[in-house]
Amino acid sequence: MPRRTATMLASTLILIALLCAGVLFPVPYSEMSPGPTVNTLGDHDGEPVLQISGRRTYATSGHLNMTTVRVTSADYRMNLVEAVYGWLAHDNKVVPHDTLYPDGKTEEQSTQENAEEFSQSQESAKVAALKELNVPVTSWVIVSTVVKGSPAEGRLHAGDVIKAVDGTAVKAPGDVAKLVTKHKAGENVVFTIVPAKEQAAAEKARRTATTTQKVSVTTAASDDSGEKRAIVGISAGTDHTFPFTVDIKLADVGGPSAGLMFALGIYDKLTPGSLTGGRFVAGTGTIDDDGKVGPIGGIEMKTVGARSKGAQFFLTPADNCKAAAKDTPSGLRLVKVDTIDDALAALEDIRSGDTAALPKCTK
């Protein structure tokens, strides 16, 4: 066989082997891509996204779209060819698998965590919108989660209202940890609680729950490195009672990043006129009970998804501005926001057509 022919054959075989290896062998990466975008003022799967009863609502127009990111599942392993294609694709992003699923988190665990964050974001969106409208909201501290195998398991339950710890009234979730860590491991902490079932029954009957119980829990030492802390194995959170019903109907979405857009949608439906003036506005951002907007992941994917659906303006958390401004889709204007007040002020300018002074995102 001539040397040139032999060389070409060998090269071809090596290329085939490399391609096969690229297809067959997995690499430790996952892919992010633009996900669905939903108008919080409109319908989804045949029913309104925001459903409010017990309070007068007003007609709305335009779009206040929440945005999402689609990611590969925890169990899926990309091959080298897919990873290279993803790196080259403009609208996709390939990231280390552990970035999306740290500590070997399973698909089920990730889904559950995202569902919990989504639920909490809805509650915070309601609180932030109603506070902006000076509508009173009753809040209290609850047991958010109980760690399996911890001292609190079987003694405290998710949804229990924490009135006091060792006789000291609790006003915020952070108070619980401060009071517990005053103890040493092995000491007892006394929680004054309203059991979750009693609280739920009281809310259903629209009465104030007054039946309290005292529950003693023996602390354990934390597993943290360094100085050991006394813990009981719970995380504290906040629950609320609203003077009317606000339901958010949106399935198959997780995470906290729709908080801002839900809050704006609720505000729009509870006030006369249109926040957008008929314009197509999209956005993202977490929100807390006080209306503070926080950063999210996958901002580049969300701007692409929003623009592909026709968005003209994109409300962008201040901490995401730099990343979003690096590659902004043509025709989409990024608007920097830090609070719900910033977003409402920006929408007023957009509605009036006076957009010259809108806060910009810069690289």
Side-chain angles (χ1 to χ4, degrees), residues 270-344:
L270 292 173
T271 53
S274 167
L275 275 185
T276 67
R279 308 295 287 275
F280 195 136
V281 180
T284 189
T286 65
I287 199 165
D288 65 16
D289 291 359
D290 296 320
K292 173 70 175 177
V293 177
I296 51 79
I299 186 67
E300 304 95 327
M301 306 297 100
K302 292 184 175 182
T303 56
V304 170
R307 182 56 187 154
S308 69
K309 293 297 182 181
Q312 302 158 298
F313 301 90
F314 193 91
L315 302 179
T316 311
D319 289 343
N320 287 126
C321 260
K322 187 174 182 179
K326 288 180 179 178
D327 191 16
T328 308
S330 177
L332 185 68
R333 185 163 180 180
L334 303 181
V335 181
K336 179 181 177 181
V337 296
D338 221 358
T339 64
I340 190 173
D341 287 333
D342 292 344
L344 290 171

Side-chain angles (χ1 to χ4, degrees), residues 41-275:
L41 303 177
D43 293 352
H44 183 68
D45 289 340
E47 62 178 343
V49 175
L50 300 177
Q51 301 180 13
I52 300 173
S53 58
R55 180 90 171 191
R56 182 181 178 183
T57 58
Y58 299 86
T60 60
S61 65
H63 289 71
L64 285 171
N65 278 44
M66 53 83 66
T67 51
T68 64
V69 174
R70 185 179 286 111
V71 299
T72 50
S73 69
D75 297 330
Y76 182 75
R77 290 295 183 270
M78 301 180 71
N79 60 50
L80 183 59
V81 172
E82 291 173 321
V84 172
Y85 179 81
W87 278 316
L88 296 176
H90 179 263
D91 293 343
N92 296 353
K93 186 175 183 180
V94 175
V95 297
H97 184 78
D98 290 345
T99 301
L100 299 179
Y101 304 101
D103 303 322
K105 189 180 297 180
T106 66
E107 183 76 17
E108 183 179 3
Q109 290 171 328
S110 180
T111 299
Q112 177 62 30
E113 183 178 295
N114 284 335
E116 291 173 358
E117 290 178 340
F118 187 61
S119 178
Q120 183 56 53
S121 76
Q122 294 180 47
E123 291 299 295
S124 294
K126 297 173 190 177
V127 175
L130 267 56
K131 279 187 175 182
E132 197 69 26
L133 293 166
N134 295 317
V135 175
V137 176
T138 304
S139 304
W140 56 86
V141 178
I142 64 167
V143 176
S144 180
T145 58
V146 179
V147 177
K148 187 175 182 179
S150 70
E153 185 179 17
R155 304 192 62 76
L156 297 174
H157 303 85
D160 288 347
V161 178
I162 304 174
K163 292 287 191 178
V165 176
D166 293 328
T168 301
V170 168
K171 296 181 180 180
D175 295 343
V176 178
K178 290 178 182 178
L179 291 168
V180 169
T181 53
K182 286 184 177 181
H183 288 268
K184 295 179 180 179
E187 294 181 346
N188 289 337
V189 181
V190 178
F191 291 83
T192 303
I193 67 166
V194 177
K197 290 183 178 180
E198 169 67 19
Q199 181 63 32
E203 290 181 43
K204 187 174 182 179
R206 293 190 176 275
R207 63 178 173 82
T208 302
T210 57
T211 303
T212 60
Q213 297 179 6
K214 290 189 177 180
V215 178
S216 180
V217 182
T218 303
T219 62
S222 70
D223 293 330
D224 300 343
S225 59
E227 186 178 353
K228 298 294 184 181
R229 298 176 295 108
I231 61 169
V232 295
I234 66 169
S235 60
T238 307
D239 204 352
H240 314 277
T241 293
F242 302 101
F244 50 90
T245 302
V246 181
D247 285 330
I248 299 175
K249 302 292 186 180
L250 195 59
D252 301 323
V253 177
S257 65
L260 171 62
M261 302 313 291
F262 283 146
L264 293 174
I266 294 167
Y267 184 97
D268 199 358
K269 283 182 172 285
L270 292 173
T271 53
S274 167
L275 275 185

